Amino acid sequence: MNPAVIPGWAKRAEDAGFSTLGTVGRLAYPGLNDTVALAAAAGATSSIGLFTNVLLGPVWPPVLLAKEVAGIDAVSGHRLTLGLGIGGRADDFVADGYPMKGLGKRIDHDLEIYRSVWNGEPVGGGDNAAVPTGTRQVPLIFGGMAPASFNRLAKWGEGYVGPSAPAGMVAGAFDGARAAWKAAGREGEPRLIAIAYFVLGDPAKGHDNVYDYYSNVPEFAQLVTANLAKTAEEIREVVKSFAAIGAEELILNPTTDDPDDIERLAEVVLS
């Protein structure tokens, strides 16, 4: 995506009546970091929700990420929800001292750091103590398919976001999220969010773009492209399929930077 389209894209999505703007990104792929994209979107909008879908927490130093997230949340008027995953591709782990090992223990430690920073508690010591933010606890949504991911959402989060897969494949993960929530004694139900890819203006380009993004995992790239919604009817079927398994919200990810796809999509799902 051309980074210059992001502010206008965000405003058009808000004006069209969508509930949320989501990011899909990773450090090893060309494009903006999630935090940069959502900061730009925050400045161009006033009411639409902002969501990282999902940000890989362990590739960041935790105090830095907590401060970045708190800043975006504050300047947006508290519209940010932080979707978190742990990652699984070595090329995303570019920061010195943050290798792709011990990810579960790291994210559990980092979640404690996030909470401390958002509570306004100094983190670290001496000259290296972090300046506290004193902001709210940013809502957390967790991705991932391992039992530990479901346990984290039950302890720390508001809900779960499924992988970029058909509803039939995501249904079991939703059940895992519900079961962990209940086992933890949480009241009510977790928020369940689904994601799917679409293109309406240029299907061939959209197909190539999303395949390229996932190409380092060819089997998954084939799965995603095979389920890319390219017509109004296919989009409607995707919406129905995720509603049937209990998704509270469906994030439809564009696969080109054609802003006209915003209005095309709105005519299909919001009219």
Side-chain angles (χ1 to χ4, degrees), residues 2-101:
N2 174 9
V5 310
I6 289 176
W9 185 289
K11 181 58 177 170
R12 287 175 71 166
E14 181 174 79
D15 291 345
F18 289 101
S19 64
T20 305
L21 285 163
T23 56
V24 178
R26 65 189 193 93
L27 293 180
Y29 195 80
L32 299 181
N33 280 348
D34 304 72
T35 52
V36 176
L38 290 180
T45 58
S46 60
S47 61
I48 195 167
L50 307 171
F51 182 49
T52 59
N53 184 35
V54 291
L55 183 149
L56 304 182
V59 307
W60 288 76
V63 174
L64 176 60
L65 178 58
K67 293 274 288 184
E68 289 275 296
V69 167
I72 297 168
D73 186 56
V75 300
S76 71
H78 302 311
R79 289 185 280 135
L80 179 65
T81 297
L82 181 61
L84 276 175
I86 65 171
R89 291 176 279 200
D91 53 358
D92 284 317
F93 292 81
V94 298
D96 290 343
Y98 292 87
M100 198 184 77
K101 63 180 181 180

Side-chain angles (χ1 to χ4, degrees), residues 246-263:
E248 176 182 325
E249 188 170 25
L250 171 62
I251 307 293
L252 288 159
N253 294 323
T255 57
T256 75
D257 59 3
D258 179 1
D260 290 339
D261 260 2
I262 298 168
E263 283 77 19

Side-chain angles (χ1 to χ4, degrees), residues 92-151:
D92 284 317
F93 292 81
V94 298
D96 290 343
Y98 292 87
M100 198 184 77
K101 63 180 181 180
L103 299 182
K105 290 182 178 179
R106 277 234 305 279
I107 193 65
D108 290 337
H109 167 267
D110 291 354
L111 286 163
E112 296 280 0
I113 298 296
Y114 302 163
R115 182 169 63 180
S116 295
V117 172
W118 296 338
N119 277 342
E121 302 166 7
V123 178
D127 294 337
N128 294 318
V131 177
T133 65
T135 188
R136 68 164 183 160
Q137 292 292 314
V138 178
L140 299 173
I141 301 287
F142 289 87
M145 301 291 285
S149 299
F150 303 135
N151 292 336

